[in-house]
């Protein structure tokens, strides 16, 4: 009887200890939760040309965005990255407008303006712009849009300002130079391969009359030196070429201000006077903040997927699935 009791005790010890020892040796990994962000069913877009507000599903909206924003011949993964960025930016703008409605939008979430929102083509506009190429690229663009509409880029559980540009000046710009504010996910990122862009360096001339008119249109009280060669002599720029500030006799303009005022090709620029006209030399194309579209295509053609691209150009972000994409449930 004593032997039986000992055996039972040993069996009980093994019964409780073996699972513990097994789990200690081969621990079960806890499931990593999939982040989800609740999106809206439709976007309300203010069309600046017609002045009307239209309701568009996320996929159709992104199709219009991609046709308006990025060369459709770019690699499929670059188009996916652009679609996710455009979707995220739309959600960010819509969230802002819910908190701070803008009367000029007539109840829309945002507009199709490339100045204040992001560019968007209606189907008619896209067909007119691309002609026969619209049909050639339509399926490819829609596939990227369908993918982008299921993803959103988050920082601290909110959609980011997923801004983007055509070509950087060899590294991305800082948001402070353009909009006067910094964001933790919009940092200076090397993008040296952008220098391979065909028209990386560009120059154009601006007459003295045009220059004076543009500056006075921005600030009627601005005073510039009498000597044209000194108009842009006092300015600050970084090693890449992005201009942070330009000083005049009585005011200071940001690099972003001048980029917008003069409609420069890039926010990385230098302005000189050749004795007759001002000459603007620029590097890259666009404001330079966020994702470089040319850089995204370069990375995609070298094996990087959309996830790698977005996490390279946007710092400290997560890419989440979205829910309630086409339903109210």
């Amino acid at each position: 009887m004593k032997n039986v009791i000992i055996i039972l005790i040993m069996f009980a010890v093994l019964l409780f200890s073996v699972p513990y020892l097994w789990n200690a040796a081969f621990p079960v990994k806890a499931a990593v939760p999939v982040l989800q962000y609740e999106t809206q069913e439709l976007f309300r877009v203010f069309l600046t040309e017609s002045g009307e507000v239209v309701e568009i599903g996320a996929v159709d909206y992104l199709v219009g965005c991609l046709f308006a924003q990025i060369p459709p011949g770019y690699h499929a993964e670059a188009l996916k990255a652009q679609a996710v960025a455009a979707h995220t930016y739309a959600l960010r703008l819509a969230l802002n407008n819910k908190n701070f409605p803008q009367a000029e939008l007539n109840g829309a979430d945002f507009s199709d303006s490339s100045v204040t929102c992001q560019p968007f083509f209606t189907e008619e506009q896209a067909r007119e712009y691309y002609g026969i190429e619209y049909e050639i690229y339509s399926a490819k663009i829609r596939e990227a849009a369908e993918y982008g509409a299921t993803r959103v880029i988050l920082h601290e559980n909110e959609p980011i300002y997923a801004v983007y540009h055509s070509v950087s000046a060899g590294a991305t710009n800082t948001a402070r130079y353009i909009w006067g504010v910094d964001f933790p996910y919009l940092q200076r990122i090397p993008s040296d391969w952008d220098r391979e862009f065909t028209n990386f360096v560009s120059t154009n001339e601006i007459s003295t009359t045009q220059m004076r008119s543009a500056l006075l249109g921005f600030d009627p009280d601005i005073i510039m030196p009498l000597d044209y060669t000194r108009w842009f002599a006092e300015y600050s720029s970084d090693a890449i070429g992005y201009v942070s500030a330009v000083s005049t006799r009585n005011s200071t303009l940001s690099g972003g201000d001048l980029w917008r005022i003069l409609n420069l090709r890039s926010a990385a620029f230098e302005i000189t006077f050749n004795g007759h006209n001002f000459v603007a030399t620029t590097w890259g194309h666009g404001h330079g903040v966020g994702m470089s579209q040319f850089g995204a295509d370069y990375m995609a053609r070298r094996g990087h997927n959309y996830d790698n691209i977005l996490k390279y150009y946007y710092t400290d972000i997560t890419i989440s699935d979205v829910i309630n994409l086409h339903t109210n449930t």
Side-chain angles (χ1 to χ4, degrees):
M1 183 66 181
K2 183 176 179 182
N3 291 337
V4 172
I5 293 174
I6 292 173
I7 292 171
L8 288 174
I9 291 173
M10 291 178 64
F11 178 76
V13 170
L14 286 172
L15 183 66
F16 289 102
S17 64
V18 168
Y20 172 79
L21 293 172
W22 176 269
N23 289 335
F26 304 98
V28 178
K29 293 183 179 179
V32 178
V34 177
L35 290 174
Q36 290 186 322
Y37 181 85
E38 185 173 355
T39 188
Q40 58 192 77
E41 182 179 2
L42 297 169
F43 289 124
R44 298 180 300 280
V45 185
F46 178 77
L47 303 179
T48 52
E49 188 173 303
S50 66
E52 64 178 324
V53 176
V54 296
E55 288 191 337
I56 308 174
V59 173
D60 288 334
Y61 173 70
L62 291 177
V63 167
C65 282
L66 291 174
F67 271 121
Q69 295 168 358
I70 188 170
Y74 274 9
H75 192 282
E77 290 299 317
L79 295 180
K80 283 183 184 179
Q82 176 62 51
V84 176
H87 186 222
T88 300
Y89 193 48
L91 289 171
R92 177 73 252 181
L93 293 176
L95 179 62
N96 286 356
N97 196 45
K98 284 182 176 66
N99 295 328
F100 307 100
Q102 299 180 48
E104 62 271 21
L105 292 180
N106 295 333
D109 296 313
F110 42 77
S111 77
D112 60 354
S113 168
S114 60
V115 177
T116 57
C117 299
Q118 62 182 344
F120 165 82
F121 278 167
T122 63
E123 182 178 338
E124 293 74 18
Q125 290 171 325
R127 287 183 179 276
E128 180 181 355
Y129 186 86
Y130 286 98
I132 192 172
E133 290 188 339
Y134 177 85
E135 296 297 342
I136 295 174
Y137 292 115
S138 185
K140 180 183 179 183
I141 290 292
R142 181 161 289 275
E143 182 179 355
E146 288 174 349
Y147 198 86
T150 66
R151 301 288 189 275
V152 59
I153 309 167
L154 302 178
H155 176 78
E156 295 183 350
N157 297 320
E158 284 198 339
I160 69 170
Y161 288 100
V163 294
Y164 44 88
H165 57 280
S166 295
V167 189
S168 81
T172 61
N173 199 358
T174 65
R176 179 168 48 86
Y177 286 9
I178 302 299
W179 299 291
V181 61
D182 283 318
F183 294 96
Y185 46 81
L186 297 176
Q187 300 298 311
R188 174 64 54 83
I189 302 296
S191 193
D192 196 59
W193 42 77
D194 284 3
R195 299 178 188 276
E196 297 182 17
F197 183 68
T198 303
N199 297 314
F200 179 73
V201 181
S202 177
T203 61
N204 71 291
E205 293 193 5
I206 306 170
S207 71
T208 56
T209 301
Q210 290 174 319
M211 183 66 77
R212 189 186 302 277
S213 177
L215 294 174
L216 289 174
F218 176 75
D219 181 2
D221 297 322
I222 195 168
I223 300 174
M224 299 298 286
L226 294 175
D227 182 356
Y228 288 131
T229 62
R230 295 182 54 225
W231 273 35
F232 299 99
E234 297 183 27
Y235 75 94
S236 302
S237 63
D238 58 26
I240 301 299
Y242 292 115
V243 176
S244 59
V246 176
S247 298
T248 71
R249 285 176 57 185
N250 64 334
S251 65
T252 299
L253 290 75
S254 72
D257 289 336
L258 272 179
W259 169 69
R260 284 183 287 267
I261 294 166
L262 303 178
N263 194 28
L264 297 176
R265 182 177 176 85
S266 170
F269 61 85
E270 181 181 50
I271 300 176
T272 58
F273 185 69
N274 66 6
H276 302 283
N277 297 307
F278 289 100
V279 179
T281 301
T282 59
W283 299 271
H285 191 186
H287 53 59
V289 185
M291 184 182 71
S292 162
Q293 294 171 326
F294 181 83
D297 184 60
Y298 182 96
M299 291 180 67
R301 294 183 188 280
R302 283 153 183 78
H304 295 278
N305 63 19
Y306 88 96
D307 187 89
N308 298 149
I309 295 166
L310 293 175
K311 288 180 178 177
Y312 179 76
Y313 281 108
Y314 301 110
T315 305
D316 192 25
I317 53 101
T318 55
I319 301 174
S320 165
D321 294 335
V322 297
I323 56 176
N324 292 351
L325 185 58
H326 295 299
T327 68
N328 293 321
T329 59

